[in-house]
Amino acid sequence: MENELILKDIHKQSPDGVHLLNNINLNLSPGTKLSVLGPSGSGKTTLLRIIAGLESFDSGTLFFNGCSIKNIPPHKRNFGMMFQDYALFPHMNVFENIAFGLKMKGMDKPLIESRVKIMLEMTGLSKFENRHIDELSGGERQRIALARTLAPEPGLLMLDEPLSSLDRAMRTRLLTELTQIIARLKITTIFVTHDHEEAFAAGSRVIILNEGKIEQQGTRDELINAPKNQWVKDFLRMV
Ligand SMILES: Nc1ncnc2c1ncn2[C@@H]1O[C@H](COP(=O)(O)OP(=O)(O)OP(=O)(O)O)[C@@H](O)[C@H]1O
Ligand SMILES: [Mg+2]
């Protein structure tokens, strides 16, 4: 199926034999908004890095668009990943940051300009085009990071704890903004967080990771009303 992401029995061990990911099965139809929720060290980033091709795995299969992508290098997968610290280029202005991936793709200048404009409008950043990164607030930087990730029209969007570097008040406000933008996108999205409120706001389906295993998955109501075991119950109550 077009742009369907399938993970079949993915395993990864650390060099000293610890299971970082164990028996991960996932099936994301195009447009799915999935949240990956789990405590620190549960394997969330490792899972995203494997999907992005930044990290290897020991066994299992990873399919996108009907094909195994194990041997496809990260830059050829056309997946967008937004990191916790945004990883913006401080020496470039907003326009240049968003245009970067398009230049790398060898896109024509007029096309780059129109694509960057669309991204700026979509994220409400049009008036910041010529600003430098260090002249922007945390929330504005986050939107630029999102615009830069979306500019090359990735087939899959992955966000790794996109709100964790912001203070509490800002996080609440930006969660709403960010989830509204994501909801409007047709693109399949994986949102990683250790905060269950964020997970439920960003994804219509949530998987809970615990020590590299999927402990439970479902909708918000399914998880809250019918936690599968004591660990899930405690984890959802905890934060
Ligand atoms: N390359 C590696 N080699 C060995 N161990 C690793 C490697 N990468 C990650 N780990 C370990 O794997 C576990 C999962 O790490 P990961 O970064 O995926 O967790 P996480 O759920 O993203 O945590 P956090 O919420 O703190 O970001 C951790 O115990 C970590 O120390
Ligand atoms: Mg992480």
Side-chain angles (χ1 to χ4, degrees):
M1 200 182 191
E2 201 188 338
N3 285 0
E4 186 179 31
L5 178 75
I6 298 175
L7 279 74
K8 261 196 178 148
D9 211 7
I10 297 285
H11 285 258
K12 183 176 176 73
Q13 283 193 1
S14 69
D16 47 4
V18 177
H19 286 287
L20 303 181
L21 289 176
N22 201 348
N23 191 26
I24 301 290
N25 288 290
L26 270 181
N27 204 327
L28 300 192
S29 55
T32 302
K33 311 291 178 225
L34 177 82
S35 290
V36 176
L37 173 65
S40 183
S42 57
K44 306 181 297 296
T45 298
T46 306
L47 180 63
L48 283 197
R49 288 175 55 84
I50 284 177
I51 297 171
L54 300 168
E55 195 138 0
S56 64
F57 50 97
D58 301 320
S59 63
T61 358
L62 188 55
F63 293 102
F64 189 68
N65 224 347
C67 303
S68 165
I69 54 170
K70 183 169 183 151
N71 297 318
I72 299 181
H75 65 283
K76 294 215 170 129
R77 293 189 186 192
N78 192 30
F79 294 168
M81 185 147 164
M82 186 171 140
F83 299 94
Q84 179 178 336
D85 61 357
Y86 310 146
L88 292 167
F89 306 116
H91 56 289
M92 294 182 194
N93 68 22
V94 169
F95 179 96
E96 290 160 343
N97 262 279
I98 300 173
F100 182 81
L102 308 178
K103 277 190 191 152
M104 288 291 113
K105 273 188 151 183
M107 207 184 255
D108 287 345
K109 216 174 157 193
L111 250 180
I112 292 181
E113 281 180 8
S114 71
R115 185 80 195 137
V116 172
K117 278 213 155 51
I118 292 170
M119 288 297 106
L120 287 168
E121 277 163 26
M122 191 193 85
T123 47
L125 289 164
S126 297
K127 61 175 194 252
F128 296 107
E129 195 177 339
N130 297 313
R131 283 262 196 106
H132 269 268
I133 299 304
D134 55 11
E135 299 165 340
L136 299 167
S137 73
E140 289 155 359
R141 285 177 208 201
Q142 182 216 43
R143 280 185 282 156
I144 291 154
L146 183 65
R148 188 184 61 178
T149 311
L150 290 171
E153 300 187 77
L156 177 72
L157 172 66
M158 293 181 275
L159 304 116
D160 193 356
E161 309 238 16
L163 302 163
S164 63
S165 60
L166 306 168
D167 63 49
R168 185 85 217 161
M170 184 86 141
R171 218 152 66 199
T172 311
R173 189 165 69 77
L174 290 179
L175 176 63
T176 314
E177 266 184 29
L178 188 60
T179 49
Q180 279 170 354
I181 296 175
I182 292 172
R184 284 201 297 269
L185 301 170
K186 290 197 179 70
I187 177 175
T188 304
T189 305
I190 306 179
F191 187 105
V192 159
T193 177
H194 60 268
D195 179 311
H196 65 265
E197 273 175 43
E198 284 182 18
F200 294 139
S204 49
R205 201 172 123 204
V206 176
I207 67 169
I208 302 182
L209 271 190
N210 176 23
E211 295 182 345
K213 289 194 304 289
I214 298 180
E215 195 73 47
Q216 189 171 355
Q217 58 178 307
T219 62
R220 176 185 188 279
D221 289 351
E222 283 164 355
L223 293 167
I224 288 181
N225 296 331
K228 206 172 109 186
N229 54 35
Q230 193 60 41
W231 186 89
V232 174
K233 215 182 261 181
D234 292 343
F235 177 63
L236 290 179
R237 255 198 231 120
M238 224 162 54
V239 203

